[in-house]
Amino acid sequence: MRICIWYHTTQAAWGGSNSFLRSLAAQLERLGHEISRIPRRTDEIVLVNSWSQGGGRYLNPKAVASVQQGGSSGQLPSILGKLYGGGKPLVQRADGVARLYGRDDPRADQTQFEIARLADCVIFQSQYSQASFAQAGVRPRQVQVIYNAVDGSVFYPSPEIQAVHSRQDLRLLAVSWSANPMKGFADLARLADLPGVKLRFVGNWCPEEAPGKVQLLGRKTRSEIAALLRQSDVFVHAAQNDPCSNAILEALASGLPILYHDSGGNPELAQGYGLALTGDPGSVVAAMRLNYTQFRQKVLDNRAAFLIEGCAEKYLGVFCQVIEEHGTLGRAR
């Protein structure tokens, strides 16, 4: 299959969408599919990511419509549709609503909502993501919910047994590329202040929040983060209203139980594999220590659910369905 993933990925750290789409493209290529980064005449289907074409650049809904409709919608000259290879089935991978997780970006929401109304199918990253669109009045005509997934050759468990009961410190790791206060920096600082807890942080710390005893490691590469996960006992994701955290999935693929903020898509991913950060953080950490072996074993038993292989097959299933429906509609016309 010739698939356009209309997103320019980078090897640099650039958030969850970049990581996911890089892994998805690599897996599809391993399966023998041909991947392009901008729509071509020969592509059989186009996948767009929410509102972005990568590197912080916004998609143009008119250009997206031109690709999908062959430039016949009147939104753009037909020559542009021909240049892009118009008349393509269109699938959108939708993010959450930006304003709900503290990202002040009305243009992003407007753009992804416009594209969702155009798309032949919208793939939501979580049930929460779909519900947040519905609350904004956006109900695409065809939807699927497919959770993100990660490259298991990069994110894999340590072969050593995590003997947390015999060590003084519980080793926690948190990751966030965004310094948005809603990523839970205050909760991280409170956890780090607990006795018997060592918390390391990768990414960009919020300048408005004192880190306290959190050990700030700065920005790291994907392979460096994977190594840090294997050196940790528990992953902490204190972000509020995240639609589908790649960081949680990287940790689960690495065999780590999760401490998570009970909001957004977090419980859909982490429930049963850890504990929600509710009430007294000391009690939550104590419960994690007590039940650590069971949580870790459950994560390991279900590791395949977090890996890109199964996720890619689900995306291919959607692509095949949309292509078939597109062809049927074309013959009907």
Side-chain angles (χ1 to χ4, degrees), residues 77-331:
S78 61
I79 190 171
L80 183 55
K82 293 177 181 177
L83 174 66
Y84 279 132
K88 306 296 183 188
L90 178 72
V91 175
Q92 181 192 35
R93 172 184 179 263
D95 207 341
V97 178
R99 62 177 173 78
L100 294 181
Y101 55 93
R103 187 164 174 265
D104 184 19
D105 194 346
R107 182 180 175 186
D109 283 341
Q110 180 181 354
T111 298
Q112 66 176 348
F113 292 163
E114 286 186 45
I115 294 172
R117 294 184 177 102
L118 292 170
D120 296 288
C121 181
V122 175
I123 296 175
F124 288 104
Q125 299 171 41
S126 62
Q127 299 286 350
Y128 167 77
S129 180
Q130 182 179 355
S132 69
F133 268 57
Q135 289 171 5
V138 181
R139 295 176 173 82
R141 57 181 175 269
Q142 183 172 324
V143 302
Q144 292 282 341
V145 174
I146 303 176
Y147 298 120
N148 298 335
V150 303
D151 184 346
S153 69
V154 177
F155 297 97
Y156 56 87
S158 168
E160 299 177 4
I161 298 174
Q162 309 294 86
V164 301
H165 301 294
S166 62
R167 276 191 283 101
Q168 182 177 359
D169 290 332
L170 188 68
R171 302 172 301 181
L172 309 184
L173 183 70
V175 177
S176 177
W177 302 116
S178 170
N180 177 352
M182 288 187 69
K183 290 294 184 180
F185 297 97
D187 288 333
L188 297 180
R190 281 192 287 271
L191 283 170
D193 199 42
L194 293 173
V197 169
K198 178 181 178 182
L199 195 155
R200 296 181 293 179
F201 175 84
V202 172
N204 299 303
W205 186 265
C206 177
E208 301 166 14
E209 185 68 41
K213 295 181 181 178
V214 177
Q215 182 182 356
L216 303 182
L217 304 181
R219 297 168 70 92
K220 299 290 182 182
T221 65
R222 185 169 69 154
S223 61
E224 288 172 333
I225 292 171
L228 287 166
L229 286 165
R230 288 189 289 274
Q231 298 163 15
S232 303
D233 301 316
V234 176
F235 186 77
V236 184
H237 192 70
Q240 300 177 44
N241 295 340
D242 256 3
C244 185
S245 168
N246 265 54
I248 287 180
L249 291 161
E250 289 168 357
L252 289 169
S254 302
L256 298 192
I258 312 294
L259 293 175
Y260 60 94
H261 192 283
D262 192 15
S263 67
N266 296 344
E268 294 181 51
L269 302 179
Q271 195 167 41
Y273 302 116
L275 296 169
L277 290 166
T278 56
D280 172 34
S283 298
V284 175
V285 169
M288 174 58 74
R289 279 186 178 275
L290 182 64
N291 297 285
Y292 184 84
T293 302
Q294 297 94 309
F295 282 134
R296 180 171 171 83
Q297 190 58 53
K298 185 173 181 181
V299 172
L300 295 174
D301 289 344
N302 293 281
R303 181 171 177 265
F306 318 129
L307 304 184
I308 195 65
E309 286 83 357
C311 179
E313 291 295 339
K314 293 176 183 177
Y315 268 74
L316 284 172
V318 172
F319 294 162
C320 290
Q321 179 182 346
V322 170
I323 289 171
E324 173 62 25
E325 292 173 352
H326 193 267
T328 302
L329 287 172
R331 290 192 293 273

Side-chain angles (χ1 to χ4, degrees), residues 8-24:
H8 292 277
T9 60
T10 173
Q11 294 298 317
W14 199 276
S17 291
N18 181 75
S19 297
F20 172 76
L21 292 171
R22 187 169 60 183
S23 296
L24 178 64

Side-chain angles (χ1 to χ4, degrees), residues 17-45:
S17 291
N18 181 75
S19 297
F20 172 76
L21 292 171
R22 187 169 60 183
S23 296
L24 178 64
Q27 176 61 18
L28 292 174
E29 288 177 331
R30 282 192 290 269
L31 293 173
H33 301 282
E34 184 180 326
I35 306 298
S36 66
R37 302 302 180 191
I38 58 172
R40 306 170 304 179
R41 185 175 302 280
T42 55
D43 290 324
E44 297 171 74
I45 193 160

